[in-house]
Amino acid sequence: MATMARWCVQRRAWVLIGWLALLAVLGVTGRAAGSTYSDALTLPGTGSTTAQNLLEQAFPGHAGDQDTIVWRTSSGSVSAPAVRDRITAMLGKVAAAPAVASVISPYSARGAPQVSRNGQIAYATVVFDAPQASLPVPDVTRVVHLAEAARAPGVQVDIGGPAVENALRPSVGISAGVGVIAAAIVLFIAFGSLLAMLLPLAIAIFALVSGLMATGLLSHAITIPSAAPTLGILIGLGVGIDYALFIVTRHRNNIKAGMSPQDAAVRALNTSGRAVLFAGTTVCIALLGMLVLRIGYISGLGIAAAVTVLFTVAAATTLLPALLGFLGMRVLSRRERRRLAADGPAPDGTSGAWTRLAAFVQRHPAPLAAAAATVMLILAIPVLSLRLGSSDAANDPASTTTHQAYDLLATGFGPGFNGPLELAGTTSTPADAVAFARLAGTLRTEPGIAAVSAPVAGHGASLISVIPTTSPEAKATSTLISQLRDTVIPAAEHGTTLRVYVGGVTAVNGDFAAVIAPKLLIFIGVILVLGFLLLTLAFRSLLIPAVAAVMNLLAAAASFGVLVAVFQYGWGLRILNLGQAGPIESFLPVLMLAVLFGLSMDYEVFLVSRIREEWATTGDNHQAVRTGQATTGRVIIAAATIMILVFSAFILSGQQIIGEIGIGLAAAVLLDAFLLRTVLVPAVMHLSGRANWWLPAWLDRILPHLSIEPATQPPAPPTSAPAEATHSQAAR
């Protein structure tokens, strides 16, 4: 590591040119190739996927996405000539638009039921020629503009549906910008130097841009969801700034201790750089652990996020030392340079506050550990009522056309109208067709069902649309789907070859949750075992990896408890403007667990690696823990504060899913850094004594050596060189 760092510092111009060339190549290639993000969610073996396959075979036109244009008159009827003429003209333009297969108007015989009972609300069904994941965004946006152009005084027109929601998804650019500004403020406070502040931001931006462009190119080879860039921005900003912050802080401390800028950079990369490399590896392993779920959508998110983290680690360990070489002594503020010139080098120490806190934890480890664990367990209580599902358009910002359309349809046709169930049956024989028609009659008498369409026959299959009485994300709707699959449908199939499957967006979301839930334990086990093995190799200990695993589980449980309280119980949702209370997104536990385990390991590595450095020097566990906590506390809290601000900024996106990720990660980092790493971990290590570093001799012999700390430390250079440089710099 030291050799590579010295090479990067000495050939800093070539390193910078290399990164700029990489960005140029990725940019030109990406612009030429574009991206092929896909939100297609396939769940083999589930009823919803089988139903979709049947519909694609029997009703090719029906297999495309179906969205809804809905309008309401403030007075009079939607059948008034002026309203009818205006809307009919608009629907004609929509029907002729690209990607639209057909439009079912309420002014036609087929669409007569599409008018509310009071005659003031009506809707038209827009059938696209492909599922929403495959529709070009410009084509959907054109349909939205055509629909909104029909608005007039007294006539409200809105449009909703999966394709429209996907096309109108707001940009996270503002959230990212706010996060960067907040991070810059914290960095300036921490460093007191404008140039030092810019270093972590530059590294994060270089890594983020290159990672996003690489992800776009990778989407041509594997399935990458459209949410991947947003996730990449969220993780890349937080991790990129943090990794650079740890290295720059160590570099600045080395200079203050009397080292020349070049040797300070080499030492920083040979210590904190190793920790960054190790921490980045653990984050990538946690993210790639999502592959064990064998769900394309989830795997794509994990791979895309891991690519961003890889670019972040690469930038922090190559580009950062080069930039440090360019800055020289100017990485310190003018005041710090003058102080160094006047007072001479100072040992690597900490502020009095952190030293006092570390000593306080050493004196009272048992009560502090008990108090911290109690707080974490209390926060984790709501996770016991976790319910997985999917949010709908009711959680979009209230001013959006998708939210307005959702409300209009719920008002005119009932809350369940926004999430119809599609029952697809294999009716290859007359007896099966009769049984399927009988099923339609049975469904009309079932509780929880508001309306049932007449069966529509296709090529060897038939379709029934069922409107529940409750909204798509309501628990009662999930119960209804289970009732249909477990009781009603088997009774209709009995004695026939008929097979009926429940499909539709609501059923897909429910099946997604059902597929993920039993695999969560496997996923957690995989990343815990891998993390345990890596920490065992790095720290030559069994207790430290075991404690880290427990801490990670505590952080995850507490952060999910916060999520459930906010988004499922609805505590503070109105203030945050993130929709209404409902289930937690089905894919969120896997995604958050991967990121949380990775980020938790980051702080564990940075803290324990510094403790181990001191332990290797003194052999005194209490002194090692106290010194390690005191020397890393300030930078860990600064790094955590930056991450919290970056993650929290994504609440401003107005998207509930992004808000869930932002709040969940922010809560996890807050608890991890301010409670676990600051109190609980040091307290437990004080209580454990020398057992922290115990490893059976036979196991030590067979395990490969993977050291985070450098094997040797280069001797400190004479103090006169930096002092002279400081004099010259301070004079400027």
Side-chain angles (χ1 to χ4, degrees):
M1 198 76 180
T3 303
M4 183 185 73
R6 193 175 299 278
W7 188 93
C8 291
V9 174
Q10 293 174 345
R11 294 166 176 79
R12 48 189 173 271
W14 286 110
V15 174
L16 180 58
I17 291 171
W19 271 93
L20 291 174
L22 174 64
L23 288 179
V25 170
L26 288 174
V28 171
T29 307
R31 188 175 183 84
S35 60
T36 57
Y37 295 116
S38 173
D39 292 323
L41 180 60
T42 56
L43 302 168
T46 62
S48 58
T49 296
T50 306
Q52 179 65 20
N53 293 337
L54 274 177
L55 293 177
E56 289 176 353
Q57 297 170 9
F59 307 95
H62 187 87
D65 185 77
Q66 296 189 45
D67 288 36
T68 306
I69 300 174
V70 57
W71 57 96
R72 176 173 61 181
T73 58
S74 57
S75 62
S77 169
V78 293
S79 299
V83 176
R84 178 171 182 152
D85 292 345
R86 187 178 189 86
I87 298 297
T88 299
M90 176 268 290
L91 295 179
K93 294 177 182 178
V94 170
V100 175
S102 63
V103 174
I104 304 173
S105 169
Y107 302 125
S108 65
R110 181 181 175 187
Q114 297 171 196
V115 178
S116 65
R117 290 183 179 180
N118 64 6
Q120 289 188 308
I121 299 176
Y123 70 91
T125 302
V126 179
V127 182
F128 289 99
D129 58 11
Q132 63 94 4
S134 305
L135 289 171
V137 170
D139 290 348
V140 180
T141 304
R142 176 172 173 76
V143 172
V144 174
H145 292 161
L146 289 172
E148 292 178 339
R151 291 171 177 169
V155 180
Q156 176 185 351
V157 181
D158 287 291
I159 180 170
V164 174
E165 284 197 71
N166 181 62
L168 299 184
R169 184 177 294 132
S171 171
V172 296
I174 295 178
S175 298
V178 171
V180 169
I181 293 172
I185 294 173
V186 175
L187 289 170
F188 187 76
I189 294 173
F191 291 148
S193 167
L194 179 64
L195 292 176
M197 175 201 77
L198 293 175
L199 280 175
L201 297 179
I203 294 303
I205 291 172
F206 262 93
L208 188 58
V209 172
S210 55
L212 291 179
M213 290 191 294
T215 299
L217 292 174
L218 190 62
S219 67
H220 291 277
I222 61 176
T223 300
I224 303 288
S226 61
T230 300
L231 179 63
I233 293 172
L234 192 147
I235 294 176
L237 278 179
V239 171
I241 294 173
D242 269 19
Y243 287 174
L245 171 62
F246 283 113
I247 295 174
V248 172
T249 300
R250 193 64 177 262
H251 172 73
R252 282 163 47 86
N253 288 339
N254 290 340
I255 292 179
K256 293 176 184 178
M259 301 182 69
S260 68
Q262 177 173 310
D263 288 337
V266 173
R267 176 75 67 86
L269 265 295
N270 205 31
T271 51
S272 294
R274 286 171 177 257
V276 164
L277 186 61
F278 186 84
T281 301
T282 61
V283 174
C284 290
I285 288 175
L287 290 169
L288 294 178
M290 295 162 69
L291 296 175
V292 303
L293 299 175
R294 303 179 67 84
I295 299 175
Y297 185 93
I298 296 294
S299 299
L301 286 176
I303 292 172
V307 167
T308 304
V309 175
L310 283 176
F311 274 97
T312 298
V313 173
T317 54
T318 58
L319 179 59
L320 181 55
L323 296 180
L324 291 174
F326 279 115
L327 289 184
M329 294 295 297
R330 287 173 296 173
V331 75
L332 300 180
S333 67
R334 290 188 177 185
R335 178 184 299 177
E336 290 170 325
R337 280 178 270 159
R338 286 195 295 268
R339 184 184 301 124
L340 180 59
D343 302 336
D348 179 14
T350 62
S351 65
W354 288 106
T355 301
R356 289 193 296 272
L357 175 61
F360 181 75
V361 173
Q362 180 183 350
R363 290 194 302 270
H364 310 284
L368 288 175
T374 300
V375 171
M376 298 294 289
L377 291 173
I378 290 174
L379 290 175
I381 290 175
V383 82
L384 298 175
S385 57
L386 173 67
R387 182 168 70 91
L388 299 180
S390 182
S391 59
D392 52 33
N395 294 303
D396 293 345
S399 60
T400 59
T401 187
T402 51
H403 184 106
Q404 295 293 328
Y406 182 98
D407 286 348
L408 286 178
L409 291 171
T411 300
F413 304 94
F417 189 85
N418 287 289
L421 306 177
E422 296 179 331
L423 274 61
T426 55
T427 52
S428 54
T429 66
D432 291 343
V434 171
F436 193 72
R438 191 182 304 117
L439 171 62
T442 301
L443 292 172
R444 292 187 179 95
T445 64
E446 283 293 316
I449 294 179
V452 179
S453 70
V456 179
H459 301 287
S462 296
L463 169 68
I464 298 173
S465 291
V466 175
I467 307 297
T469 57
T470 50
S471 66
E473 64 179 24
K475 188 175 183 180
T477 304
S478 300
T479 303
L480 173 63
I481 294 175
S482 299
Q483 176 72 9
L484 293 178
R485 288 173 168 172
D486 298 340
T487 305
V488 178
I489 290 176
E493 294 172 339
H494 184 69
T496 70
T497 57
L498 172 68
R499 293 295 177 267
V500 181
Y501 306 94
V502 181
V505 175
T506 305
V508 170
N509 292 332
D511 287 344
F512 191 21
V515 168
I516 284 181
K519 295 182 177 181
L520 276 178
L521 290 179
I522 298 175
F523 173 69
I524 293 172
V526 167
I527 57 179
L528 280 179
V529 169
L530 291 175
F532 182 91
L533 292 176
L534 281 173
L535 290 180
T536 300
L537 293 176
F539 296 127
R540 319 304 292 179
S541 165
L542 293 179
L543 183 61
I544 288 175
V547 171
V550 173
M551 299 300 170
N552 290 343
L553 287 174
L554 267 178
S559 61
F560 271 104
V562 172
L563 268 184
V564 170
V566 174
F567 291 97
Q568 197 169 306
Y569 296 169
W571 296 356
L573 267 184
R574 288 186 177 275
I575 298 174
L576 297 173
N577 191 30
L578 289 174
Q580 61 187 20
I584 303 299
E585 291 294 327
S586 300
F587 69 88
L588 199 60
V590 175
L591 176 63
M592 275 192 57
L593 283 170
V595 177
L596 292 182
F597 277 111
L599 297 181
S600 295
M601 292 290 280
D602 281 359
Y603 295 132
E604 179 77 8
V605 168
F606 288 121
L607 172 63
V608 178
S609 62
R610 185 64 184 88
I611 293 174
R612 183 172 171 79
E613 278 188 63
E614 193 68 22
W615 162 258
T617 302
T618 66
D620 185 331
N621 180 74
H622 289 302
Q623 180 180 334
V625 175
R626 184 179 65 250
T627 302
Q629 180 185 2
T631 53
T632 61
R634 183 171 181 268
V635 68
I636 285 179
I637 293 301
T641 301
I642 290 172
M643 274 203 178
I644 292 167
L645 292 173
V646 169
F647 293 151
S648 298
F650 281 79
I651 298 172
L652 302 176
S653 68
Q655 303 178 60
Q656 189 175 84
I657 296 177
I658 302 301
E660 287 182 12
I661 297 174
I663 289 178
L665 293 179
V669 172
L670 174 67
L671 295 171
D672 192 290
F674 286 81
L675 200 58
L676 294 186
R677 312 302 158 184
T678 303
V679 178
L680 190 53
V681 170
V684 170
M685 293 189 73
H686 279 301
L687 292 171
S688 302
R690 299 179 66 88
N692 287 315
W693 316 106
W694 177 78
L695 185 71
W698 64 268
L699 185 58
D700 186 46
R701 287 193 299 269
I702 64 175
L703 286 178
H705 284 264
L706 176 64
S707 178
I708 297 178
E709 304 82 23
T712 59
Q713 292 284 2
T719 60
S720 58
E724 293 170 2
T726 306
H727 277 299
S728 63
Q729 294 283 356
R732 298 182 184 179

